[in-house]
Amino acid sequence: MTLDSSRSRRAAAAVAVRPGEAGASSREVLLQTALDFFSKRGFTGTSIRDIANALGVSVSNIYHYFGSKEGLWLEIMEYSVKTLPDRLEGALTGIEAPLERFEALVRAHLTVSTSYQRELRMIFLQQDRLTDGGDRVNQDVQRAVLGIYIRELEALRAAGIIRTPHLKILAFNVLGVINWQLRWYRGDGPLPVDTVHREIVDFILHGLHGPDSN
Amino acid sequence: MTLDSSRSRRAAAAVAVRPGEAGASSREVLLQTALDFFSKRGFTGTSIRDIANALGVSVSNIYHYFGSKEGLWLEIMEYSVKTLPDRLEGALTGIEAPLERFEALVRAHLTVSTSYQRELRMIFLQQDRLTDGGDRVNQDVQRAVLGIYIRELEALRAAGIIRTPHLKILAFNVLGVINWQLRWYRGDGPLPVDTVHREIVDFILHGLHGPDSN
DNA sequence: GTCTAAATCGAACGATCGCTCTAGAAGCCC
DNA sequence: GGGCTTCTAGAGCGATCGTTCGATTTAGAC
């Protein structure tokens, strides 16, 4: 359920694998296991043998499907994090009022964050150990998301709802609240996801002073 | 200036080094270089040889002073991150009004974050690759800071200033804004540190709606 | 059945990892 | 000077790293 049904292909050695077959199943299992390790220990903290041994398969298997360790990383990025900007934009279509748009943006962001919690943890753990092309992916996505927030904040300022001239700082503050949730929130804890999302939206919109203060 | 004058000692092989001498200088340079690497590439992403080669010294030198890679990491934690809870508590002494206390807490936290930016980045990059004792340090500090925030938020609730029953979520939201700044703020950029701190305090206290909305 | 390609394995490569050991250089006390 | 401790270097240890390779197994097409 957390996986996209249409899967793109980019590996070096692997060729045409039809989705929904036994071959794809091996692929998926490898991706999921790699995701578990990458999101918990980061890129350098995870070895190819960690992933292979966890599944009881050989390391050559991974190279057969993904070509390299970085290829495996990028494959995970491909179906998850890279889709983030489009998903955020999609949540805005049809909404006109700036404040409504902004709230929809935050809510959509939280929803995607919940779906791709491990994938997003990966990019926030990773620290310039990939080749240039690999780093680019993360930077582009983060820049795109920031751009969306700044654009919406500009609309809020034009509407007279916010006054600060430092929209970039404001955008980072909002992103901080949303992304920090990736660090502390555990789905298996006592807090329901709806409660957490509602509290975060309230905090972003009203800060410490609750929604009844305006 | 970002270093404590009194330095604690815990290495395995090293013994009594008087501060302020030539011996201490080698030590300091090693610590600073290690700090640069750890804060940029994390624990697993940094090798002992990275640090030694950057300084043109031998790896044995590092082991002479710190005993192990983890010892080097913990030594950095010792003079910086571990002092965080005490510094936050110190900023609260003499202040009575809950809201004033909270604002002072946030401001002190931002000040310390600026002083120990690289050190704090280390602990947010690191991901359970240390031995049990090493992990404990980070966890204890983070728990202590969270405890301080929750205690102050309880005072705010008792004073009727906030209403939400989910103080833990609220505390994480505040910490998210503060800690996220470690990820994006560069001191050499165009934004003055005072401006950033003021915007963050305003955001935490009032959210998107500015300070004149209550 | 045969043929072919995808899937999987185990061994091994060179490089790098954290770390140890031995030994010489430098600094201080007398 | 000698005698001691501290500091530093370099070689090398076993382990693990990402990766490659040849060979074997599996599975579908005919």
Side-chain angles (χ1 to χ4, degrees), chain B:
Chain B
M1 58 168 286
T2 65
L3 278 178
D4 236 22
S5 62
S6 71
R7 207 175 320 94
S8 77
R9 205 131 21 260
R10 53 155 307 287
V15 274
V17 176
R18 295 161 299 315
E21 280 308 304
S25 170
S26 259
R27 228 186 133 82
E28 294 295 345
V29 160
L30 281 173
L31 281 172
Q32 287 299 317
T33 309
L35 177 51
D36 276 336
F37 276 99
F38 282 151
S39 64
K40 280 178 190 152
R41 313 222 268 227
F43 186 75
T44 53
T46 301
S47 79
I48 294 285
R49 284 173 179 84
D50 283 339
I51 302 166
N53 293 344
L55 289 172
V57 300
S58 73
V59 293
S60 351
N61 215 319
I62 295 176
Y63 284 91
H64 171 68
Y65 283 112
F66 307 105
S68 70
K69 184 182 178 185
E70 181 166 325
L72 179 51
W73 175 283
L74 290 176
E75 182 94 1
I76 297 175
M77 291 292 112
E78 193 72 32
Y79 76 80
S80 59
V81 177
K82 266 179 113 174
T83 71
L84 181 56
D86 284 346
R87 287 168 190 264
L88 296 186
E89 295 281 12
L92 297 177
T93 56
I95 309 180
E96 295 286 342
L99 196 52
E100 279 181 45
R101 281 175 67 90
F102 194 81
E103 187 170 334
L105 175 61
V106 172
R107 288 191 184 279
H109 199 159
L110 288 170
T111 302
V112 181
S113 285
T114 300
S115 307
Y116 293 111
Q117 193 165 31
R118 292 175 300 170
E119 289 87 343
L120 286 163
R121 268 187 207 152
M122 275 174 59
I123 108 171
F124 291 133
L125 265 183
Q126 183 258 337
Q127 209 74 355
D128 73 358
R129 271 317 214 180
L130 277 49
T131 58
D132 295 347
D135 270 330
R136 259 246 126 42
V137 177
N138 293 1
Q139 285 176 20
D140 286 352
V141 169
Q142 295 191 52
R143 232 190 299 269
V145 171
L146 180 66
I148 294 174
Y149 273 89
I150 288 182
R151 188 194 62 209
E152 295 302 317
L153 286 175
E154 275 169 354
L156 283 178
R157 185 169 57 186
I161 295 172
I162 57 177
R163 282 176 180 73
T164 175
H166 302 103
L167 295 187
K168 201 164 183 176
I169 303 180
L170 190 48
F172 277 125
N173 288 341
V174 174
L175 287 170
V177 181
I178 295 173
N179 287 330
W180 201 250
Q181 167 256 169
L182 293 167
R183 287 191 61 92
W184 62 267
Y185 182 64
R186 311 285 145 178
D188 51 10
L191 290 171
V193 65
D194 303 23
T195 305
V196 174
H197 286 191
R198 186 172 358 102
E199 288 284 326
I200 291 180
V201 171
D202 281 355
F203 178 79
I204 289 174
L205 294 181
H206 308 102
L208 280 193
H209 298 82
D212 40 353
S213 73
N214 61 328

Side-chain angles (χ1 to χ4, degrees), chain A residues 30-153:
Chain A
L30 281 172
L31 281 172
Q32 288 299 318
T33 310
L35 177 52
D36 276 336
F37 276 98
F38 282 149
S39 64
K40 280 179 190 149
R41 314 221 266 229
F43 186 75
T44 53
T46 301
S47 78
I48 294 285
R49 284 175 180 81
D50 283 339
I51 301 167
N53 292 344
L55 289 172
V57 300
S58 73
V59 293
S60 351
N61 215 318
I62 296 177
Y63 284 89
H64 171 69
Y65 283 110
F66 306 105
S68 70
K69 185 183 179 184
E70 180 165 326
L72 179 51
W73 174 284
L74 291 176
E75 181 95 1
I76 296 175
M77 291 292 111
E78 193 72 31
Y79 75 79
S80 59
V81 177
K82 267 179 110 174
T83 71
L84 181 55
D86 284 346
R87 287 168 190 263
L88 297 186
E89 295 281 12
L92 298 177
T93 56
I95 309 180
E96 295 286 342
L99 196 53
E100 278 181 47
R101 282 175 66 90
F102 194 82
E103 186 171 335
L105 175 61
V106 172
R107 288 192 183 279
H109 199 160
L110 287 169
T111 301
V112 180
S113 285
T114 300
S115 307
Y116 293 110
Q117 193 165 32
R118 292 176 300 170
E119 288 88 342
L120 285 163
R121 267 188 206 149
M122 276 174 57
I123 109 169
F124 291 132
L125 266 181
Q126 184 255 338
Q127 209 75 353
D128 74 357
R129 270 318 212 181
L130 275 48
T131 57
D132 295 347
D135 269 331
R136 258 252 127 40
V137 177
N138 293 0
Q139 285 177 21
D140 287 351
V141 169
Q142 295 191 53
R143 232 190 299 268
V145 171
L146 180 65
I148 294 174
Y149 273 90
I150 289 182
R151 188 193 63 208
E152 294 302 317
L153 286 174

